[in-house]
Amino acid sequence: RRTARRARSGSARTLDTRRLRRLRSTRDNRHAKLIRLHRHRTRLTVDPIERVTSLFTESMQVNAEALETQTGPIVMAAELIVSSLLGGGKMLSCGNGCSAADAQYFAAQMLHRFERERPGLPAIALNSDAATLTAIAVDEGFSAIFAKQVSALGHPGDVLLTLSVHGTASNTIAAIKAAEERQMQIIALTGGDGGDLARELRSSDIE
């Protein structure tokens, strides 16, 4: 019996050793393929220093162009926010994807601080509450996730800050319409020509 057990034990160890070797071989092969792929892509791409330099150059050019066209709207937006806050209003912000992160960051800076210590300022990021977003999306659809909150939380004199890269998201467009119904002011940060979102703005709104 002992001999049989030792035989089975030895056989099991042999199988485990073989499996371990196969796993290592597979892992090494995958690693080697990744290295070859990286080297191939590196040969096809530009020099990293040139790439980073070009990105900085492009950024400086965009900032220089924005200085001429965006200074006025930025000042008007700042004055609108200050006027709303002094009148007892608040900020609501919303966006999708990266714009959602920016909307949350804006609200955090308002509630906490920006550059200097000061009392917190009322601001709510409408895309930060997963329970609310999913509840509205399930019952009324994704396009209503911001508008429903604007209708519930917004009041005349409040400001909606909406961020959209392409200006085509139905939920941000619906939020603008809801804000207009609540007699709120709107600040829209958009990309390109602003898309459908920009066309929904009133003359008193800021883009």
Side-chain angles (χ1 to χ4, degrees):
R1 291 181 180 177
R2 291 181 180 178
T3 301
R5 288 176 182 174
R6 289 175 182 174
R8 286 195 296 269
S9 177
S11 177
R13 284 197 297 269
T14 301
L15 288 174
D16 289 341
T17 301
R18 290 176 180 173
R19 289 172 183 169
L20 183 59
R21 287 175 179 172
R22 284 197 297 270
L23 288 173
R24 287 176 177 173
S25 177
T26 302
R27 182 195 62 188
D28 292 342
N29 288 337
R30 289 175 180 173
H31 184 64
K33 288 181 180 178
L34 289 174
I35 292 176
R36 288 195 297 271
L37 179 61
H38 174 71
R39 289 175 177 172
H40 176 67
R41 288 180 175 177
T42 301
R43 288 195 296 270
L44 297 177
T45 57
V46 299
D47 178 75
I49 297 298
E50 293 180 3
R51 176 61 175 162
V52 173
T53 301
S54 67
L55 290 174
F56 270 106
T57 302
E58 182 181 352
S59 177
M60 289 187 290
Q61 291 174 347
V62 171
N63 286 334
E65 294 173 2
L67 177 64
E68 300 178 0
T69 61
Q70 301 302 315
T71 300
I74 290 173
V75 172
M76 292 171 59
E79 292 175 344
L80 178 61
I81 293 173
V82 170
S83 176
S84 174
L85 295 175
L86 291 177
K90 62 181 175 295
M91 294 293 303
L92 302 180
S93 60
C94 65
N96 298 288
C98 295
S99 296
D102 289 335
Q104 285 184 259
Y105 186 66
F106 173 82
Q109 297 290 68
M110 292 285 287
L111 289 166
H112 177 43
R113 65 186 295 276
F114 178 69
E115 293 185 348
R116 66 184 66 181
E117 295 295 337
R118 56 158 171 74
L121 303 172
I124 303 172
L126 303 179
N127 48 261
S128 60
D129 187 342
T132 297
L133 293 174
T134 52
I136 297 173
V138 167
D139 293 334
E140 301 190 28
F142 185 72
S143 61
I145 60 174
F146 299 143
K148 189 70 178 287
Q149 296 183 74
V150 170
S151 297
L153 301 173
H155 296 281
D158 290 346
V159 177
L160 172 68
L161 171 65
T162 180
L163 303 94
S164 179
V165 176
H166 304 292
T168 57
S170 61
N171 52 14
T172 52
I173 295 173
I176 286 178
K177 294 179 179 179
E180 292 173 351
E181 293 176 358
R182 298 296 292 169
Q183 300 178 31
M184 297 171 59
Q185 295 298 311
I186 299 167
I187 299 173
L189 301 183
T190 62
D193 64 355
D196 295 335
L197 186 150
R199 289 186 279 275
E200 291 291 337
L201 298 175
R202 304 160 297 186
S203 58
S204 59
D205 297 326
I206 301 171
E207 182 188 11

